Amino acid sequence: MRDAYHEELEAVSATLVEMANMAGVAMAKATIALQEANLSLAEEVIAADDAIDDLQHQLDAKVVDIMARQQPVAGDLRALVTSLRVSADLERMGDFAHHVARVARMRYPEKALPPELTVVVGELGSAAQRIVSKTAYILQTKDAETALELERDDDEVDRLHRQLFRILLDPSWSHGIENAIDTTLIGRYYERFADHAVSVGRRVHYLVTGAYSSKSE
Amino acid sequence: MRDAYHEELEAVSATLVEMANMAGVAMAKATIALQEANLSLAEEVIAADDAIDDLQHQLDAKVVDIMARQQPVAGDLRALVTSLRVSADLERMGDFAHHVARVARMRYPEKALPPELTVVVGELGSAAQRIVSKTAYILQTKDAETALELERDDDEVDRLHRQLFRILLDPSWSHGIENAIDTTLIGRYYERFADHAVSVGRRVHYLVTGAYSSKSE
C-alpha cells in the first residue's frame, strides 16, 4: 500500500542514494584533479560540496518534520534516526572529496603528487569508487549481506594507505616535507571517506538485522 | 514541574555534559602522554575511549526510546535530535584524544615530538582544554552567547595549527619524514577536536535561538 506517509519515507531513502552518488562523483573528480593537476575539476568539486551540504540540511529538516507530524511507530522511527546518521556520514564523505580537491587546487599548476605516488593514489581512488557505489546500492536495496562486504573493501583501502606511508618513509623519498604533509593528509582523506562508507553499511546492517556487524571505530 | 518525562530529558542533557568532560580529560591526558612519552597515560586514554563509545550507544538508545514512548512535541523532538548529533560530536572528540594517545604509544619510549614542537603542541593542548570546558558549560547551561565564543576559540586553534606547519616547513627542520607525518596527523587531531566542539556550540545555539550562528564546514 502506497500512502502519503510511505511515499515520504521512500523519498528520504531516495535522497540518501542521491547524496551517495554525489559524494562518489565528487571523489572521482577530485582524484582526477589530483592526478592531472586539473584546476577546473578541482573547482567543480569544491563548488559542488555546498550542494551536498544543502541536501543534507533539507533532508534532516524533512526527517524531523516527518517525526513530528507522523508519530512513527518504533520501527519507522529507528529507520528515520538511521537516516539522520547516514546523511551525516554521506555529507562527511563529500567533505573529504572537497579536501582532496583543495590540495589539488592549492598546488596548481604543479601536481600535488610526485610520480611514485600516482599508482597507489589511483588505486585509492578506484577503491573509493567501488565502496561508494556499493554504499549507494545498499541504501537503495537495504541489502544487509552486501553491507558486510564493505568491511573487506575497507581492508583494501587500509592496505593501500599503508603502502602510501611505505613510499613516504622509503629512504629514496626525495620530495621533501611539504609533499609528505600533502600525501599524509590525502591518504587520511581517502581512508576516512571509506570509513564513513563502512559506517553507512553498519547502520543499514543493524537496521535490517538488529545485529551489529562489528565494533565501530 | 518535575515529571518522569522531564527527568528523562534532563538525564540526556547530564549524560552529554559527562561525555564532554570525559573527552576533555582524555585529551588532557593524551597531551601529557605525547609531551612526556608517558606510556601509562597513553594506555589509559586508549582504554577509556571504549567507555565514551559505550556511553554514546546507551544515550542514543535512550533518546530513541524516549522518542518512541513519549511522542514528544516538536520542540522536545528537536532537542532530542540535537542530542543525537551532539553525542556523535563528543564521541568523535574522544576518538581524537585516542588518536593522539596512539601516536604517543607508537613512538614510546621515544617522544613523538621533537623539542621545537613542544611549546606549540602544549598550546594546542591548552586551547583544546579551554574549548572542551566551554563545551561542557554550554551543554549544561544552554547559554547561546557562550556558544558563539567557541568560534573565536577555534580561530586560535587554527592559528596554532598553521604555526605547527610553519615549523615543519622551515628549512631548519631536521627530524625527517616520519616525524613530519606524526606532526601532520597530530595537528589535524587537535584541529578536528576543536571543530567538533564548535559544531556542538552551533547546534546548541541553533536549538536555543532558531538561528544558525555561521556556515558549518
Side-chain angles (χ1 to χ4, degrees):
Chain A
M1 198 190 73
R2 273 300 138 272
D3 56 21
Y5 171 48
H6 286 94
E7 275 172 20
E8 284 189 311
L9 296 183
E10 281 180 15
V12 167
S13 237
T15 304
L16 292 175
V17 174
E18 188 185 347
M19 285 181 72
N21 288 332
M22 287 166 81
V25 168
M27 195 49 128
K29 286 182 181 172
T31 302
I32 298 169
L34 193 65
Q35 300 271 31
E36 296 183 346
N38 185 326
L39 183 62
S40 63
L41 269 186
E43 297 282 11
E44 267 182 47
V45 175
I46 292 164
D49 192 42
D50 282 346
I52 301 183
D53 293 357
D54 289 347
L55 203 55
Q56 190 207 5
H57 287 142
Q58 288 163 28
L59 180 75
D60 286 6
K62 181 80 198 169
V63 166
V64 175
D65 175 63
I66 296 172
M67 286 176 177
R69 278 188 297 104
Q70 302 281 7
Q71 309 281 358
V73 295
D76 287 345
L77 184 63
R78 270 198 305 277
L80 287 165
V81 169
T82 298
S83 300
L84 293 174
R85 291 175 174 146
V86 167
S87 85
D89 282 315
L90 298 170
E91 186 273 331
R92 198 73 195 123
M93 288 168 75
D95 282 345
F96 288 113
H98 172 244
H99 292 351
V100 169
R102 276 177 54 143
V103 176
R105 183 173 72 174
M106 189 164 54
R107 298 298 166 219
Y108 179 85
E110 300 293 313
K111 288 187 185 174
L113 296 175
E116 58 262 59
L117 289 170
T118 310
V119 171
V120 66
V121 171
E123 286 178 24
L124 277 168
S126 307
Q129 287 309 303
R130 211 160 37 241
I131 282 177
V132 71
S133 303
K134 212 172 269 186
T135 305
Y137 173 84
I138 291 161
L139 288 167
Q140 187 131 47
T141 60
K142 311 284 184 298
D143 179 340
E145 282 308 304
T146 307
L148 288 181
E149 287 177 22
L150 284 176
E151 310 267 350
R152 286 196 300 279
D153 295 328
D154 187 45
D155 290 343
E156 170 67 6
V157 170
D158 290 343
R159 190 187 65 73
L160 291 165
H161 192 214
R162 285 193 299 275
Q163 191 180 330
L164 196 75
F165 282 123
R166 270 200 302 279
I167 296 171
L168 271 183
L169 291 170
D170 193 276
S172 68
W173 176 262
S174 61
H175 305 284
I177 300 292
E178 187 164 58
N179 260 315
I181 294 173
D182 284 352
T183 304
T184 301
L185 291 175
I186 287 168
R188 186 158 169 88
Y189 299 150
Y190 283 98
E191 186 212 10
R192 295 293 305 147
F193 182 93
D195 284 347
H196 281 282
V198 171
S199 163
V200 171
R202 285 181 183 148
R203 296 186 200 289
V204 171
H205 185 268
Y206 180 69
L207 186 66
V208 173
T209 66
Y212 286 111
S213 59
S214 91
K215 186 162 171 357
S216 58
E217 189 191 5
Chain B
M1 198 191 76
R2 274 299 138 272
D3 56 22
Y5 172 47
H6 287 92
E7 276 173 20
E8 284 189 311
L9 296 183
E10 282 179 16
V12 168
S13 236
T15 304
L16 293 175
V17 174
E18 188 186 349
M19 286 181 72
N21 288 332
M22 287 166 82
V25 169
M27 195 50 126
K29 286 182 181 172
T31 302
I32 298 169
L34 193 64
Q35 300 270 31
E36 296 183 345
N38 185 324
L39 183 63
S40 64
L41 269 186
E43 298 281 11
E44 268 182 46
V45 175
I46 292 164
D49 192 44
D50 282 346
I52 301 183
D53 293 355
D54 289 346
L55 203 54
Q56 190 208 6
H57 286 142
Q58 288 163 28
L59 179 75
D60 286 5
K62 180 80 197 168
V63 166
V64 176
D65 175 63
I66 296 172
M67 285 178 178
R69 278 188 296 104
Q70 304 280 6
Q71 310 281 356
V73 295
D76 287 345
L77 184 63
R78 270 198 305 276
L80 286 165
V81 169
T82 298
S83 300
L84 293 175
R85 291 175 174 144
V86 167
S87 86
D89 282 315
L90 297 171
E91 185 273 330
R92 199 71 196 125
M93 289 168 74
D95 282 344
F96 289 113
H98 172 245
H99 291 352
V100 169
R102 277 178 53 145
V103 176
R105 183 174 71 175
M106 189 165 54
R107 298 299 165 220
Y108 178 84
E110 300 293 314
K111 288 187 185 174
L113 295 175
E116 58 262 59
L117 289 171
T118 310
V119 171
V120 65
V121 171
E123 287 178 25
L124 276 169
S126 307
Q129 287 311 302
R130 209 158 42 239
I131 283 178
V132 72
S133 302
K134 213 173 269 184
T135 305
Y137 173 83
I138 292 161
L139 288 168
Q140 188 132 46
T141 60
K142 309 285 185 295
D143 180 340
E145 282 308 304
T146 307
L148 287 181
E149 288 177 23
L150 284 176
E151 310 267 351
R152 285 197 299 279
D153 296 328
D154 187 45
D155 290 342
E156 170 67 6
V157 170
D158 290 342
R159 190 187 66 72
L160 291 165
H161 192 214
R162 285 193 300 274
Q163 191 180 329
L164 196 75
F165 281 123
R166 270 200 303 279
I167 296 170
L168 271 184
L169 291 170
D170 193 276
S172 69
W173 176 263
S174 60
H175 306 285
I177 300 292
E178 187 163 58
N179 260 313
I181 294 173
D182 283 352
T183 304
T184 300
L185 291 175
I186 287 168
R188 187 161 168 87
Y189 299 151
Y190 283 99
E191 187 212 10
R192 295 293 305 148
F193 182 92
D195 283 347
H196 280 282
V198 171
S199 163
V200 171
R202 284 182 184 147
R203 297 186 200 287
V204 171
H205 184 269
Y206 180 70
L207 186 65
V208 174
T209 67
Y212 286 112
S213 60
S214 92
K215 189 165 169 353
S216 59
E217 189 193 4

